[in-house]
Amino acid sequence: MQAAAVAHRDGPLLVLAGAGSGKTRVITHRIAALLKSGVPAHSLLALTFTNKAAREMRSRAQRLAGSSLDGATLSTFHSVCARWLRAEGSRLGLTRAMTIVDDEDQLQILRRLTRTMALPHDSGTLRHYRQRIDEWRHDGASPAQAVERAIGREAEEEARLYQRYEDTLRASNSVDFGGLIAWTLHLLEHEDDLREQFRERYRYVMVDEFQDTDVAQYRLLRALVPDDGNITVVGDDDQSIYGWRGASVENVGRFTEDYRDVCIVKLEQNYRSSPQILETAHAVVESLPDRMPKRLFTTRSDGPRVRLFIGRNDREEAEWVAGEIHRLRREHGLSFDDMAVFYRTNAQSRVLEERLRAAGTDHRIIGGVSFYERREVRDVLAYLQLAVNPLDDNAFFRVVNTPSRGVGRTTIELLDQARRGEGLSLLAALGPFEAAPPSRLNRRTREGLRQFRDTMAALQMAAHEGRVDEALDVLLVETGYLETLAASRDPDAEDRIRNVEELRHAAVEFAMHAPSGATGVVDFLESITLRGAADTVLEDGGEVQLMTVHMAKGLEFPVVFVTGLEDGRFPLRSRLRPTDEDEERRLFYVAVTRAREHLILTAAAERRLHGQTRPAPLSPFVSLLPDDQVEAVPGSARPGSAPGTHTHGRRSAAWDEFDQRPAPERIADPVRQVPVEGIVFDDRHYPEERVADAQRLVGRSARHRLFGTGTVTGADPSGSRIRLTIDFPGVGEKRVILDYVELD
């Protein structure tokens, strides 16, 4: 069947590629086969979703096709759209120096807009607005269409905000991630000559992970390829797990309806997992509605049965996982990096990490704060963004007083007012503003503005004339950023300096290895901005990998632990749409099919939440598991057993989440019975009325001696004093103890 997919020449082709069935092999061999048959390399366009997948695709195809691959476009959707917009964006008023804003930039822009529009601007509401904009992007809806479709006051306000947001981006020569797709789609749907030009060039289009496309991306493909065109899509509806970010599993069915005479090839032979794992996986998804029928099989010999362990509580679950890792390592000769521990949400990692650390297990959590999201790294990158795109007011706001130049919020507001009548960007308005400054500006502020303008002039020259690492050197010298960090009282100053130095190393490596002519600041910024979390996963380091199931997509391990199999946790039931449990089942299927040899499923009969330990019903997914392929681990708690009871009769230990002693020392402590009512209070417990008192503070105005007046967005009642999260305008969110603010 792989050979059939490779040999198919012309017309639409749908390859239903089950997990571990060699879909990347099929795509790369198909690319090589087309080239060998005489198709010009520049006529090939292959699209996927992560830079890592694109690099792997190009590397494999290069080995097969050699130099004949030169000129082919193998890329991610967002990267290729960024390239097309830089080339054709003048039709939209964009220049080649456009900036791509990320999630954090979006929030900052929305915060400023909501203040001017007198809309709520607490952190939760801003994230909601960003999500609404992303939803419109996924559907390919323009601001005008959003305004037209809005029904009700709230929807109308959100649509107007979307319009103002888009106007702000356009004025600053910027686009967001969704805009890369949306505006490319707009060009191809509305510019007939450009659409025909693209269709003429890209005669063979291939798409990997097709089940992850959203409506806008599908429309983009429809614009690129006519109904009877040469398009190959490879995907698996069983692995559609990104509906929460716009992916539409229905696109698989739409493809067979919209394109004429579609050839369908099913890849059902799995080359990864044991028969026991495949039978378990099939049982999970076989009854999903509207599923395209297929069944994975393997020629491999039998492997170990799938194991299920149910701990009395989440502490015992984590303790058992840590012990099982060491047992497998000892008895099967496996290394730590042969194993992965999956969970549904990042919050579950804490207990697991504590136990692994106590057991002396080398481990690494995947998906924490990205290097490129750290404050000092974002500061330096914002300077580079402003240097190549002087219209980027968002970058200006970030760096005009970083390091401190005495330029405060009042000065920026005056500058903002002065430039509006002239239609200038903030950076362009600095010259006239300095020439005729308001009388209330003090000498230090005026000098700070002059220094900033001189710094940006030098940096702009360096950014346009040299390599990115050379421009970065000019930046660090002109701003004195590292010297300011070194002289600060910041306890993390040394780490922050190392991060800036590491960024410079990244710039040097980029300039050394980038293609000729692509070593500049614009190229470097694009490579960073379009980098996804999945692109940094798994650089083998001899450590157990801990990650969410979403982060595990596309990976495989000899040993996989899937933890937290409880109803409400996996499947996650927070704010579920009616169809979300189907996606949760597909997500469980993805977790199961990451395992090659050993699949171990775990749950807890009780789990701690909000300071209390309560019964945790077993996940309904467990009832789908085939009895002949799954065995319960001896000593597991009975599913649905009363809190405090255990099948082998031991009393529950007083598991203390703060106790970091080795397991034998903790277990040797006297044990106590869990109360019959099933509630265990830990050191962080606080009465329910204290929770209510804290929640009443949310939304109130609070004054702080240093940060000014802000709005309470969160209140944490744990510990001896209530800790508030307060959003201070112009400062951002700060964590402050209640005793140190005055509430209005």
Side-chain angles (χ1 to χ4, degrees), residues 295-350:
R295 188 179 190 122
L296 295 177
F297 69 92
T298 181
T299 58
R300 286 184 49 184
S301 58
D302 280 358
R305 295 176 74 189
V306 176
R307 305 178 74 208
L308 173 66
F309 175 80
I310 303 172
R312 290 167 296 177
N313 50 47
D314 48 349
R315 293 334 183 245
E316 184 176 69
E317 177 193 30
E319 192 85 42
W320 185 85
V321 167
E324 188 68 3
I325 287 172
H326 284 273
R327 185 191 70 79
L328 288 167
R329 188 168 180 248
R330 182 177 62 254
E331 296 181 7
H332 295 272
L334 296 165
S335 61
F336 283 142
D337 57 9
D338 287 328
M339 308 185 211
V341 180
F342 300 160
Y343 33 79
R344 179 62 182 84
T345 63
N346 280 308
Q348 294 166 246
S349 67
R350 183 184 59 81

Side-chain angles (χ1 to χ4, degrees), residues 381-407:
L381 293 177
Y383 269 108
L384 294 178
Q385 288 172 335
L386 188 59
V388 295
N389 181 14
L391 299 178
D392 191 341
D393 288 344
N394 199 56
F396 181 96
F397 280 117
R398 185 175 188 98
V399 299
V400 65
N401 198 42
T402 305
S404 176
R405 299 181 176 91
V407 181

Side-chain angles (χ1 to χ4, degrees), residues 75-136:
S75 181
T76 66
F77 273 94
H78 290 91
S79 292
V80 79
C81 286
R83 187 189 316 168
W84 291 341
L85 281 181
R86 292 197 192 281
E88 303 293 342
S90 57
R91 300 175 186 238
L92 300 167
L94 296 169
T95 75
R96 297 187 68 87
M98 70 179 189
T99 302
I100 303 170
V101 303
D102 61 15
D103 290 351
E104 183 60 33
D105 293 330
Q106 282 183 286
L107 290 177
Q108 294 304 321
I109 294 170
L110 289 172
R111 178 174 280 110
R112 289 193 293 272
L113 289 175
T114 49
R115 284 172 179 154
T116 63
M117 296 174 68
L119 294 174
H121 50 267
D122 58 275
S123 296
T125 305
L126 290 178
R127 285 191 290 271
H128 166 73
Y129 290 147
R130 183 179 65 189
Q131 180 181 349
R132 287 293 293 123
I133 290 172
D134 288 345
E135 288 171 356
W136 280 312

Side-chain angles (χ1 to χ4, degrees), residues 460-480:
Q460 283 177 306
M461 184 179 298
H464 286 95
E465 292 181 356
R467 304 188 332 175
V468 60
D469 53 326
E470 296 166 348
L472 208 155
D473 286 341
V474 171
L475 185 162
L476 295 177
V477 170
E478 291 288 333
T479 61

